[in-house]
């Protein structure tokens, strides 16, 4: 079975085999060296001065960002299940928040965010996804962040980069916190989340809040090469190998490969008559709108052994989503797109003539 | 290097190789089956009706237990670093608590707990370690829990079983929540914690508190074979194999092996003139008092390639701790104890005459 869901993504063999190594205790010079080296390499991904790992899924890191940074009121963008989550986290902790809501295919508008901030000067923290995976949508986070900082540099900008870190060469110069997750572009098993933080974010956090998710404790400990609690050593060791591999390829080249593959994949999908769902697609995936989404997914799974994701909530049965995160061989992507075209023929939607694979190969 | 620390423990090869398998998405029938099967097998470990896994270290599960159960006031037992943690978690969340403090070698007294509960009827939740790893100490949790329930069955009893679950055949009939951790007797990488819960605990939790650690959400989702957030799939799949292996051995026989190994190990250690630190040793480890603890650890590590744990905080340099959790071959334990005796000779403490290995072999 090819796992072609936009997270968890397939774990390459060089990652899996790190688990065959001897077990290392986390309070040893050996692990300290690996942790510091991994944090240091991760700095090239976030381009932010402070980096910490949490032993949790990405949601844990989102919660850590919320509870540690909001002092008065949060402003959140909700254009999907993950944008909605910011508000749910605020609610769970009795944190006041305003939400700007969009359809799942619609990127946030800079003007809407600026208007909300100008209207309510109690807002001190802003939360958004870089890539909102519910609809495969890319928000113009860099522009929004820059405008926010022009108006009020004290507003802390938090960006969920769970399906953006390791996918794109991000400009985080106006972003204070960026959140990542192990099972996305880092091609690891789930269970590790990462945060990159600016000086302003660390200042805002002060002595931190919460216990397991107290970021002040973790930043202090991890800067010394240790962790507040037992870390997910297996995942950190494997992340170290992934970061080395991405550096071997060259980060710039890896980002370019991902972008080129994305463009070629979208072109192939549109060439066989399917529509890309979001107005501004994120590079992490192809989110395809189709009333036959479930039939297509079934054929892909049962006949071609390819697992692609469906839609969630009100988009259930109307979307399918193909992963574009991590290292994906061209032959694998070509096989996925060719199988998709064959599925369309089986459903009587379009006669198969190998257009998808032709376009993909030409554009890639 | 033999990792002989009381957690993380060595990961057996049959566990490591589960990571070589193809990546499974967590929202699939395949994973649902594994999750439900693993939860079901885990019920034989906790003997409690509700079981949930969290993607965090054991501390995350301790925090989940605290924030979800205390309504008025907590009573905590602190006889070491982990007992101290209950109070720290309460403090971080503004939860009122009283603490009964003991020396690190001293088990809690039933009478002290009962007196504290009788004195303060705002106490609704009690927190203790079954095995307090800081001093390798076993608290008489079963007796304390039974007495508490006689006085006030509404008091929820929470037991940290991180270094007790999978070690002992626990009587949890008066315990409401028991907490476990993957890297201890379950011989997995760190990053997964487990909770077993009683009906009364679930009733107390109600709609839960917090977001990532909201136990009500997790109990509901996991009873349906899914999870609120992306789970640490790799660890759950590996835990499934561990539980099957322990069932193949026979849980009773596994517990007996652990107990016999513990008795033989303590006898061997005392036979070469060393003192066991706690008044009531936990079966998960041998915690040995020695003013030469650091010298002994250094020889074991550098000459014999054995990593044993030291003491923490005020016991630094005065304790070393040898693991007894999981599946440990007799030849490995005999090698560790023989190396320990050789280290004593090197330090001029005692002439080597193979007493440790002799006693261990005889007693085991």
């Amino acid at each position: 079975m090819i796992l072609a869901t936009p997270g968890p993504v397939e774990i390459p063999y060089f990652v899996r085999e790190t688990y065959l190594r001897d077990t290392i205790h986390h309070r040893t010079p050996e692990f300290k060296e690996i942790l510091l080296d991994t944090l240091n390499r991760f700095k090239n991904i976030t381009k932010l001065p402070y980096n910490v790992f949490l032993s949790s899924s990405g949601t844990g890191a989102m919660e850590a960002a919320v509870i540690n940074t909001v002092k008065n009121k949060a402003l959140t963008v909700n254009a999907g299940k993950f944008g909605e989550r910011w508000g749910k986290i605020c609610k769970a902790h009795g944190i006041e928040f305003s939400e700007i809501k969009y359809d799942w295919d619609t990127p946030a508008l800079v003007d809407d965010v600026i208007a909300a901030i100008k209207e309510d000067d109690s807002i001190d923290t802003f939360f958004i996804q870089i890539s909102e995976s519910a609809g495969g949508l890319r928000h113009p986070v860099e522009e929004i962040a820059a405008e926010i900082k022009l108006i009020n540099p004290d507003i802390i900008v938090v960006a969920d980069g769970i399906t953006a870190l390791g996918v794109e060469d991000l400009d985080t110069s106006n972003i204070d916190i960026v959140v990542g997750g192990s099972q996305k572009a880092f091609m690891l098993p789930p269970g590790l989340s990462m945060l990159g933080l600016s000086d302003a974010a660390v200042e805002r956090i002060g002595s931190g809040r919460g216990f397991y998710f107290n970021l002040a404790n973790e930043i202090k400990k991890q800067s010394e090469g240790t962790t507040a609690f037992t870390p997910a050593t297996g995942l950190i060791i494997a992340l170290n190998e992934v970061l080395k591999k991405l550096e071997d390829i060259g980060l710039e080249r890896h980002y370019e490969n991902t972008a080129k593959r994305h463009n070629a994949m979208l072109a192939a999908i549109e060439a066989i008559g399917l529509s890309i769902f979001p107005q501004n697609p994120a590079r992490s995936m192809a989110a395809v709108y189709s009333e036959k989404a479930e039939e297509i997914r079934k054929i892909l799974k049962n006949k071609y052994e390819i697992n692609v994701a469906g839609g969630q909530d009100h988009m259930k049965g109307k979307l399918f989503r193909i992963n574009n995160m991590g290292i994906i061989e061209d032959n694998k992507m070509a096989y996925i797109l060719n199988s998709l075209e064959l599925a369309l023929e089986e459903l009587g939607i379009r006669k198969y003539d190998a257009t998808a694979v032709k376009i993909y190969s030409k554009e890639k």
Side-chain angles (χ1 to χ4, degrees), chain A:
Chain A
M1 186 74 71
I2 294 175
L3 186 62
T5 54
V9 310
E10 284 192 344
I11 303 169
Y13 195 78
F14 79 89
V15 174
R16 300 183 199 189
E17 67 181 0
T18 61
Y19 280 90
L20 297 178
R21 297 182 192 167
D22 282 354
T23 321
I24 300 188
H25 194 286
H26 52 289
R27 310 287 185 216
T28 53
E30 294 86 337
F31 184 72
K32 180 178 176 174
E33 194 183 312
I34 293 171
L35 175 60
L36 287 175
D37 184 63
T38 314
L39 285 167
N40 199 39
R41 290 176 196 275
F42 203 71
K43 208 178 271 186
N44 297 327
I45 303 286
T46 65
K47 299 175 195 160
L48 286 166
Y50 296 88
N51 289 274
V52 281
F53 303 144
L54 297 177
S55 304
S56 75
S57 82
T59 302
M62 288 172 73
E63 183 170 3
V66 171
I67 63 173
N68 283 278
T69 54
V70 186
K71 300 295 166 187
N72 296 313
K73 190 175 175 180
L75 176 66
T76 71
V77 166
N78 171 359
K81 263 192 105 62
F82 297 92
E84 186 188 29
R85 192 160 287 178
W86 297 121
K88 286 187 172 177
I89 295 170
C90 289
K91 217 178 270 175
H93 289 280
I95 292 169
E96 221 194 321
F97 73 102
S98 270
E99 180 180 87
I100 308 175
K101 217 173 163 177
Y102 296 97
D103 286 338
W104 285 21
D105 67 342
T106 309
L109 287 177
V110 179
D111 289 353
D112 293 346
V113 176
I114 297 311
I117 279 171
K118 282 187 173 162
E119 211 170 80
D120 185 349
D121 61 10
S122 68
I123 290 165
D124 58 18
T125 320
F126 174 70
F127 296 91
I128 191 166
Q129 271 57 41
I130 298 174
S131 157
E132 165 58 78
S133 344
L137 178 71
R138 178 64 157 89
H139 284 302
V141 176
E142 297 87 337
E143 294 87 316
I144 294 172
E147 286 296 316
I148 289 174
K149 292 289 180 183
L150 276 180
I151 293 168
N152 182 356
D154 293 340
I155 292 177
I156 294 292
V157 174
V158 180
D160 163 5
I162 294 172
T163 54
L165 280 180
V167 172
E168 288 185 60
D169 188 10
L170 295 169
D171 172 10
T172 55
S173 50
N174 293 297
I175 293 175
D176 295 293
I177 299 183
V178 67
V179 172
S182 56
Q183 77 276 22
K184 305 289 184 170
F186 304 107
M187 303 172 282
L188 301 168
L192 190 77
S193 61
M194 313 86 160
L195 295 111
L197 305 103
S198 69
D199 291 304
V202 171
E203 201 179 309
R204 169 74 71 82
I205 288 165
S207 57
R209 262 195 65 195
F211 191 75
Y212 190 76
F213 291 135
N214 183 314
L215 289 175
N217 286 352
E218 284 298 344
I219 291 164
K220 187 180 173 298
K221 290 278 187 185
Q222 293 187 30
S223 71
E224 297 160 359
T226 185
T227 53
F229 312 112
T230 306
T233 46
L235 286 161
I236 292 169
I237 290 164
L239 176 58
N240 191 273
E241 294 301 328
V242 168
L243 295 175
K244 281 184 201 160
K245 172 75 85 182
L246 295 182
E247 286 166 24
D248 282 350
I249 294 168
L251 276 180
E252 283 313 306
R253 210 174 133 207
H254 170 68
Y255 293 139
E256 270 167 36
N257 283 345
T258 303
K260 275 180 72 182
R261 194 171 57 229
H262 189 245
N263 293 336
M265 168 165 60
L266 294 200
I269 288 168
E270 286 180 324
I272 54 173
L274 288 165
S275 332
I276 300 303
F277 175 67
Q279 292 171 27
N280 187 29
R283 282 194 197 149
S284 50
M285 71 189 77
V288 187
Y289 182 89
S290 169
E291 294 290 340
K292 302 256 183 207
E294 284 316 287
E295 288 95 321
I296 291 169
R297 285 183 67 214
K298 248 176 231 157
I299 296 170
L300 288 179
K301 185 159 190 182
N302 298 334
K303 193 155 178 181
Y304 302 103
E305 301 230 303
I306 300 166
N307 188 355
V308 305
Q312 297 161 294
D313 294 355
H314 68 284
M315 294 310 294
K316 214 168 179 160
K318 295 181 178 170
L319 270 189
F320 64 89
R321 296 173 297 152
I322 304 172
N323 175 53
N324 187 39
M325 287 178 280
I327 298 165
I328 305 170
E329 296 85 356
D330 277 336
N331 62 4
K332 194 173 269 183
M333 187 56 89
Y335 172 74
I336 293 168
L337 294 168
N338 192 55
S339 304
L340 174 61
E341 190 181 335
L342 287 164
L344 294 190
E345 177 169 80
E346 188 166 334
L347 290 167
I349 295 171
R350 183 186 184 281
K351 215 180 127 40
Y352 173 81
D353 59 3
T355 292
V357 72
K358 238 182 293 172
I359 298 290
Y360 181 75
S361 309
K362 217 182 86 190
E363 301 284 323
K364 178 70 172 50

